[in-house]
Amino acid sequence: MMALAMRWLSIVLVTSALSGQVPYDRLLNAERDPANWLSYNGSYSSTRHTTLEQITPENAPDLELDWVFQASALDKFETSPVIVDGVMYITEPPNDVVALDARTGRVFWEYEHEVPPNVTPCCGKVNRGVAVLDELVYLATLDCRLIALDAKTGAKAWDVEVCNYPIGYALALAPLAVKDKIIIGTAGGELGIRGFLAAYDAKTGEQAWKFYTVPGPGEPGHETWENDAWKTGGASIWVTGSYDPELNLTYWGVGNPGPDWNPDVRPGDNLYSSSVVALDADTGKLAWHFQFTPHDKWDWDSVQVPVLVDMDWQGRPRKLMLWANRNGFFYVLDRVTGEFLLGEAFAKQTWAKGFTPDGRPIVLPGSEPTEEGVVTCPAIRGATNWFATAYNPDTKLFYLLVHESCNEYKKADRPWERGKGWLAGSFKLSPDHENRKYIRALDIQTGKTVWEYAQTGKVQTYSGVLSTAGGLVFFGEDSGAFAALDAETGKPLWHFQANQNWKASPMTYMVGGKQYVAIASGMGFWAFQLAD
């Protein structure tokens, strides 16, 4: 009887907390509501920067652990939470949703989704978060379901099938809520799927539009796939995109073509793999694309998050897109047209000697995989990867995790088998090159490094970064610590040795007048605040 009473009390409390709901207008103005974190990247611009400034370089040493939510599974914990009026929504691996008290970590409700045992996604049973819109919370699952839950109770409102998981598809990303639609993309590029983005009616789950990232016959870009390679082209989407309300364009990074490392079976540029696509949010119609790595031979997915900023560029105002790509280059694009404005290496790279005027890389001979093996930089994990970057409009610096390493890449002949991994080759770390992670700050006008912080330790962390108006950059480092640097100089200011393997990106929020900084780790979810 006592347990029932406590659960009833939790539902009452969360119902009260969510009385405001999250209408679309609130998502539009998320950057003016820093106490909350209303989407995977915090806002549609995806800068991962907050105007909260309670935590500063002066008081950062006073940060302390406030609470921890212990995960009940051992799979990768890569979630970024959504915060709405003191309620935190996270996804716990593989596909459960938990509503927590953001002040204490106490559980309000849990929704458990049973993943079929025959689901075998490429890279672990992961889920990166949820979306919220009005009174619903949206979950995308590994077995290809899009599910809407009541935000107050966790009760299922509707459930639709998006793709066919037995043939290799999966959903691993946090959905994006735009207007009256929920937009998602499909993972499974290493299993020979044909990737796509799709939008669903937020109230009913009815599909509104669908855009294939591997164009079929008669579609623009189909000519970049020879033979029938388009049918198993990959080009998956497994990290949440961004949105510009003024242009009504939504931007998404697209993964590598299949198979990896042996491009001989798929001649051509292989659009829209390793690209960014800009789509009309109402119709899914392609407005423009930019391909970072045409005919990708190294598995350098372009699933990094598009960062949208408005500022002067070479003397005139521009709507820009900032992009640190897995291939080792930092790009600035005009997000209205897709025009290439800048490409500058931010890590060691040995595969391109520069760009044509339209941004096409000029590939160096002898850099592509061979049967004997060729050492090329960066390594397959990339100079950076899917984890979040951040942009601070005060410092005008772009922050990111950089991995300096190189691989020996080999190609091999391997036929495609439906529903099975399709890796046509292999790779191994080159012992003759550096293997170390850095936090770097880039000048976006030039792409040059302004400062860097060299990480220590051997934990294979994949932490993103968070920028704050208080003048800090937060991240999880290879030592297993959660840490903060000075945003202007990169000077280390604070670390908390949690001995964790970080595979998520930090975020921040405010409850009860106190600013929290939080991040998921290998074993749970951690929240920090200043000591009283």
Side-chain angles (χ1 to χ4, degrees):
M1 182 65 70
M2 179 62 71
L4 288 174
M6 290 300 296
R7 179 168 177 79
W8 177 85
L9 176 60
S10 294
I11 292 173
V12 169
L13 289 173
V14 75
T15 300
S16 174
L18 273 180
S19 59
Q21 301 183 343
V22 187
Y24 173 59
D25 284 348
R26 195 170 178 188
L27 293 176
L28 282 175
N29 295 289
E31 291 177 346
R32 303 176 191 173
D33 186 14
N36 294 292
W37 192 272
L38 297 177
S39 63
Y40 175 79
N41 290 306
S43 68
Y44 284 140
S45 64
S46 302
T47 60
R48 286 265 175 170
H49 175 79
T50 179
T51 56
L52 294 179
E53 52 186 1
Q54 190 177 91
I55 305 170
T56 67
E58 291 71 31
N59 63 26
D62 297 327
L63 279 167
E64 63 180 17
L65 179 64
D66 194 64
W67 57 263
V68 177
F69 173 78
Q70 177 70 54
S72 59
L74 297 178
D75 296 293
K76 297 177 184 177
F77 204 7
E78 297 182 355
T79 189
S80 275
V82 167
I83 307 288
V84 182
D85 302 331
V87 179
M88 173 184 289
Y89 300 99
I90 64 172
T91 50
E92 185 182 8
N95 270 148
D96 298 340
V97 181
V98 185
L100 303 171
D101 185 332
R103 190 197 303 258
T104 66
R106 182 166 61 94
V107 175
F108 286 132
W109 57 255
E110 298 179 75
Y111 171 81
E112 296 183 1
H113 178 76
E114 185 175 350
V115 177
N118 60 336
V119 171
T120 55
C122 149
C123 306
K125 293 183 178 180
V126 301
N127 186 283
R128 298 185 176 88
V130 299
V132 293
L133 181 63
D134 294 324
E135 72 285 355
L136 297 177
V137 175
Y138 299 89
L139 168 71
T141 73
L142 290 167
D143 56 332
C144 286
R145 314 297 301 185
L146 177 60
I147 299 171
L149 306 174
D150 186 290
K152 301 178 184 66
T153 66
K156 187 188 295 186
W158 52 257
D159 177 350
V160 297
E161 184 179 68
V162 174
C163 45
N164 187 5
Y165 75 84
I167 65 172
Y169 283 97
L171 302 177
L173 79 177
L176 182 67
V178 174
K179 295 184 177 179
D180 59 349
K181 296 179 177 63
I182 306 299
I183 306 174
I184 54 174
T186 55
E190 271 66 46
L191 288 91
I193 63 148
R194 181 188 177 202
F196 65 85
L197 277 159
Y200 293 81
D201 184 281
K203 296 295 185 186
T204 67
E206 181 180 357
Q207 188 179 103
W209 55 256
K210 189 174 188 178
F211 173 82
Y212 278 102
T213 53
V214 180
E219 297 174 348
H222 179 68
E223 69 282 358
T224 66
W225 296 84
E226 295 186 24
N227 310 319
D228 285 332
W230 66 276
K231 295 179 179 179
T232 53
S236 56
I237 294 182
W238 43 278
V239 176
T240 310
S242 305
Y243 174 60
D244 185 328
E246 292 182 5
L247 300 175
N248 196 37
L249 292 179
T250 182
Y251 307 94
W252 295 77
V254 186
N256 60 282
D260 309 63
W261 312 310
N262 188 350
D264 299 345
V265 300
R266 45 176 174 83
D269 281 355
N270 307 143
L271 289 174
Y272 297 96
S273 69
S274 301
S275 303
V276 55
V277 292
L279 308 181
D280 184 289
D282 294 332
T283 65
K285 183 178 179 181
L286 181 69
W288 59 261
H289 77 277
F290 181 87
Q291 191 169 40
F292 299 100
T293 313
H295 193 53
D296 185 355
K297 310 171 182 68
W298 303 275
D299 188 10
W300 290 332
D301 298 71
S302 293
V303 296
Q304 298 75 50
V305 175
V307 176
L308 314 183
V309 301
D310 296 341
M311 66 181 301
D312 285 348
W313 180 265
Q314 298 182 353
R316 70 182 182 93
R318 301 286 287 259
K319 293 173 79 68
L320 302 177
M321 176 183 292
L322 313 180
W323 198 296
N325 197 269
R326 188 167 169 174
N327 68 16
F329 285 97
F330 172 72
Y331 295 81
V332 180
L333 306 178
D334 183 308
R335 72 175 185 270
V336 180
T337 64
E339 179 186 355
F340 171 74
L341 301 176
L342 176 71
E344 180 71 27
F346 64 88
K348 181 179 178 62
Q349 66 81 27
T350 60
W351 69 279
K353 67 177 181 179
F355 298 91
T356 64
D358 62 355
R360 186 180 181 90
I362 303 169
V363 178
L364 288 166
S367 61
E368 65 183 67
T370 65
E371 293 179 357
E372 296 76 23
V374 168
V375 174
T376 303
C377 313
I380 181 178
R381 72 191 76 189
T384 192
N385 207 296
W386 62 270
F387 22 83
T389 57
Y391 171 73
N392 185 325
D394 300 320
T395 64
K396 293 182 170 50
L397 295 178
F398 182 86
Y399 307 103
L400 74 161
L401 170 66
V402 179
H403 197 155
E404 292 281 8
S405 61
C406 309
N407 273 162
E408 180 186 68
Y409 294 89
K410 290 185 177 182
K411 70 177 182 180
D413 289 326
R414 181 178 178 183
W416 174 70
E417 296 182 64
R418 183 179 295 276
K420 294 185 178 181
W422 195 22
L423 305 179
S426 61
F427 64 93
K428 66 179 180 180
L429 194 67
S430 170
D432 300 323
H433 293 79
E434 183 180 16
N435 179 27
R436 193 172 190 178
K437 295 192 183 75
Y438 296 82
I439 299 297
R440 287 184 177 151
L442 308 183
D443 180 336
I444 68 169
Q445 297 287 335
T446 65
K448 301 295 185 182
T449 298
V450 175
W451 58 254
E452 69 178 20
Y453 171 81
Q455 298 196 45
T456 59
K458 298 181 179 180
V459 177
Q460 286 301 307
T461 186
Y462 288 93
S463 168
V465 295
L466 168 72
S467 166
T468 78
L472 298 168
V473 176
F474 288 92
F475 68 103
E477 69 172 6
D478 263 11
S479 70
F482 189 48
L485 308 175
D486 186 288
E488 290 276 5
T489 66
K491 177 184 175 181
L493 299 172
W494 169 80
H495 80 279
F496 178 88
Q497 185 49 265
N499 290 313
Q500 291 298 301
N501 187 352
W502 310 102
K503 293 188 182 297
S505 299
M507 49 77 64
T508 188
Y509 61 95
M510 181 172 279
V511 180
K514 295 183 178 181
Q515 182 182 356
Y516 292 75
V517 179
I519 185 172
S521 76
M523 58 76 69
F525 193 86
W526 305 65
F528 300 82
Q529 66 159 318
L530 293 171
D532 291 331

